[in-house]
Amino acid sequence: MLTSGAISLAKIQQSTLSSTSSNNIVLQAYQYAESKLDIMTLKGYKNLTAQAKTKIQGTDYQDEVQVSQATTLPDGSQRKTVTTNVYLNNEKSPRATLKKFFYSISPEGIDIGSPVYLGSTDGGSFSGVAQTAGFIVAAGSNKPRSLNVYVNGTLLGYVVPRGYGTGDIQVCVPVPKNGSWTISGKCSWAYWMPLKA
């Protein structure tokens, strides 16, 4: 027969475990929200588009993107607010919400083109040659595999093997025009972000 003290202790332990699980879910959700904002940032102001709730591949989460109407600022530039929401399974309320202002740039400046999906690997590798200057954005790493991004044979992006934490870690690596790149180890996803004048 359990004493009242044992029952109270069991309730406290159960509450602590429940709280820890909830905190992990929220931390993971914010990681996904930050990743989505990073991708939107690389797309650039001209390519901002809203996205309905979409399952994040290989997870129990969904993300969505909301883009506000443009606001004209006193200097003539424009600003939009991008909101990313991340949901657990089919929950109606997001576990994480992040907002960021995006600003238009001068047409004479350098812009970033639309992202192109490169692929993924779990212990293998894939490679290519950059037709224009740009960036590779990749996420991954788990035990026993690291995430490695090489440009012209030099290791420029690296994430150590980990079996804990809040999910994949990203690297962003610049690649010159005609530069060769290779991604190896554990890569959950990788995108090519071309620079264009």
Side-chain angles (χ1 to χ4, degrees):
M1 180 175 179
L2 292 176
T3 65
S4 60
I7 293 173
S8 296
L9 180 60
K11 287 182 177 179
I12 290 171
Q13 289 175 333
Q14 183 178 7
S15 176
T16 301
L17 289 174
S18 178
S19 176
T20 300
S21 176
S22 179
N23 287 342
N24 287 340
I25 289 171
V26 170
L27 287 172
Q28 180 68 76
Y30 272 102
Q31 174 104 20
Y32 288 134
E34 289 174 1
S35 295
K36 180 60 72 171
L37 272 183
D38 287 343
I39 291 174
M40 300 300 289
T41 300
L42 291 169
K43 282 185 175 183
Y45 181 88
K46 294 178 181 178
N47 299 305
L48 295 176
T49 54
Q51 173 201 299
K53 274 188 183 180
T54 304
K55 181 175 176 59
I56 301 173
Q57 186 177 5
T59 76
D60 294 325
Y61 295 82
Q62 298 184 70
D63 61 12
E64 72 177 347
V65 177
Q66 299 168 343
V67 181
S68 72
Q69 294 295 319
T71 300
T72 302
L73 302 176
D75 64 0
S77 63
Q78 293 189 329
R79 182 181 73 194
K80 293 181 181 180
T81 303
V82 173
T83 304
T84 60
N85 295 314
V86 176
Y87 303 80
L88 179 64
N89 294 313
N90 294 315
E91 291 181 348
K92 294 183 178 180
S93 298
R95 292 297 185 113
T97 297
L98 291 178
K99 294 185 178 184
K100 181 178 179 179
F101 290 135
F102 285 75
Y103 297 88
S104 62
I105 65 172
S106 167
E108 291 77 33
I110 293 177
D111 197 2
I112 295 178
S114 297
V116 177
Y117 180 70
L118 294 176
S120 63
T121 182
D122 188 8
S125 66
F126 53 103
S127 59
V129 176
Q131 302 302 309
T132 63
F135 294 87
I136 288 176
V137 182
S141 167
N142 69 6
K143 284 186 178 180
R145 299 179 180 88
S146 57
L147 167 63
N148 309 285
V149 181
Y150 296 87
V151 177
N152 292 329
T154 301
L155 180 64
L156 294 185
Y158 176 72
V159 180
V160 298
R162 354 176 275 142
Y164 61 90
T166 58
D168 294 333
I169 294 180
Q170 296 178 44
V171 292
C172 182
V173 174
V175 183
K177 183 177 181 180
N178 298 321
S180 61
W181 55 266
T182 300
I183 300 173
S184 65
K186 168 61 177 180
C187 177
S188 299
W189 54 260
Y191 284 87
W192 169 250
M193 308 300 304
L195 289 177
K196 60 180 184 179

